[in-house]
Amino acid sequence: MPTETVEVYAPRYRHHQERSTIGARIDNVSFSQEVRVDDLDLRTAWGAHVLRVRVQLAAQALCEEMDRRYPIATADSPPCYKDSLDRGMYQADAAIAQARGYAYRD
């Protein structure tokens, strides 16, 4: 069964301690967004390109929202855009490979 969506996550904090050095509570927060795949033919270069662009735009939007809502991060917070993009592209590439595998069996 082909993949219908790719999930893009925007991480912010890694939780290594209960409180910051000034005593503030540290929260783990993340946002996610589904990126549609079912309307694309991932067997084509154009379909794969559109999916990758969608993942890039979702990662950018999620990280911008993360920065707006949670402007202060801990020193060990992961780089939002890079991590979001890497995770999303991994799923996108898997969906593309899966679709192309089905194409060879047709």
Side-chain angles (χ1 to χ4, degrees):
M1 180 171 173
T3 302
E4 294 180 6
T5 61
V6 168
E7 192 82 17
V8 179
Y9 297 93
R12 172 53 93 202
Y13 305 115
R14 291 188 182 148
H15 186 59
H16 294 295
Q17 56 191 24
E18 292 297 317
R19 301 247 173 222
S20 71
T21 56
I22 62 170
R25 190 181 82 202
I26 297 174
D27 292 326
N28 288 321
V29 294
S30 65
F31 296 140
S32 66
Q33 176 182 332
E34 288 185 347
V35 175
R36 279 192 67 187
V37 174
D38 62 341
D39 63 330
L40 300 173
D41 183 354
L42 298 179
R43 296 173 296 180
T44 66
W46 179 251
H49 170 75
V50 170
L51 176 57
R52 288 182 177 119
V53 168
R54 288 179 183 179
V55 169
Q56 290 171 347
L57 293 173
Q60 181 180 2
L62 288 171
C63 291
E64 286 173 358
E65 182 67 13
M66 182 71 71
D67 288 341
R68 188 182 70 72
R69 288 191 186 187
Y70 302 96
I72 299 172
T74 61
D76 64 345
S77 288
C80 185
Y81 182 74
K82 182 187 179 321
D83 279 11
S84 300
L85 186 63
D86 288 349
R87 290 179 185 191
M89 285 299 181
Y90 179 82
Q91 290 183 48
D93 289 343
I96 292 164
Q98 181 183 26
R100 290 180 177 175
Y102 284 130
Y104 296 127
R105 287 187 223 131
D106 290 342

